[in-house]
């Protein structure tokens, strides 16, 4: 019985592998050993894209000055058991708490996401956890 199951599994694997090759070679996208686009794609230069962005007639949404966001004033010291806890801080910053570890990703707590304090996008809501309320990382 075990030999029969192994034989059927081997036949299934072989048939799956060869079926993919036949279908691939029959595809109109497959030529000279690689897949290719059948429709031509026009590549644009950086300057064409920049000019299109500067001269576009599409109206842009107004950027808000302030957005209210929830604030976690007392995050747990750590999460040893149970499901992981993930808290969004801001920008791309998350506090991930699991298995007794506190992991902070891409921390941004400044008013702007820039190396200079007066240039760059300004924060429109406060961080989800204040810097002083963070548990030991």
């Amino acid at each position: 019985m075990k030999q029969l199951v192994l034989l059927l599994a081997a036949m299934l694997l072989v048939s799956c592998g060869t079926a993919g090759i036949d279908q691939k070679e029959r595809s109109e996208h497959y030529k000279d050993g690689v897949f290719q686009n059948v429709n031509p794609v026009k590549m644009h230069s950086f300057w064409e894209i920049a000019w299109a962005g500067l001269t576009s007639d599409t109206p842009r949404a107004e950027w808000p000055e302030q957005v209210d966001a929830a604030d976690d004033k007392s995050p747990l010291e750590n999460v040893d058991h149970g499901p992981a806890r993930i808290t969004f801080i801001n920008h791309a910053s998350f506090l991930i708490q699991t298995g007794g570890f506190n992991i902070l990703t891409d921390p941004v707590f400044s008013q702007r996401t820039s190396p200079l304090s007066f240039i760059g996008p300004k924060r429109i809501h406060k961080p989800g956890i204040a810097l002083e309320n963070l548990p030991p990382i």
Side-chain angles (χ1 to χ4, degrees), residues 15-136:
S15 66
C16 289
T18 57
I21 292 171
D22 294 338
Q23 288 178 342
K24 176 176 69 173
E25 291 176 353
R26 284 192 304 247
S27 170
E28 65 180 294
H29 299 269
Y30 190 76
K31 294 178 184 157
D32 301 324
V34 295
F35 282 98
Q36 301 173 358
N37 284 334
V38 292
N39 300 321
V41 177
K42 181 179 181 334
M43 299 302 291
H44 296 280
S45 71
F46 169 78
W47 299 112
E48 288 175 314
I49 294 169
W51 183 252
L54 291 172
T55 59
S56 174
D57 291 339
T58 306
R60 295 178 188 229
E62 199 62 36
W63 192 257
E65 288 291 321
Q66 179 69 31
V67 172
D68 292 328
D71 186 11
D72 189 352
K73 296 189 184 331
S74 57
L76 300 174
E77 219 22 62
N78 63 28
V79 176
D80 283 327
H81 305 293
R85 180 178 175 173
I86 300 174
T87 306
F88 174 66
I89 295 176
N90 195 18
H91 186 57
S93 305
F94 289 87
L95 173 64
I96 303 168
Q97 297 178 289
T98 185
F101 292 100
N102 296 318
I103 304 163
L104 191 61
T105 65
D106 195 13
V108 175
F109 288 90
S110 61
Q111 275 301 102
R112 296 184 184 271
T113 55
S114 168
L116 304 172
S117 63
F118 56 91
I119 296 176
K122 188 175 180 186
R123 179 186 298 279
I124 60 171
H125 59 79
K126 61 185 177 182
I129 300 174
L131 188 57
E132 59 271 7
N133 292 340
L134 283 174

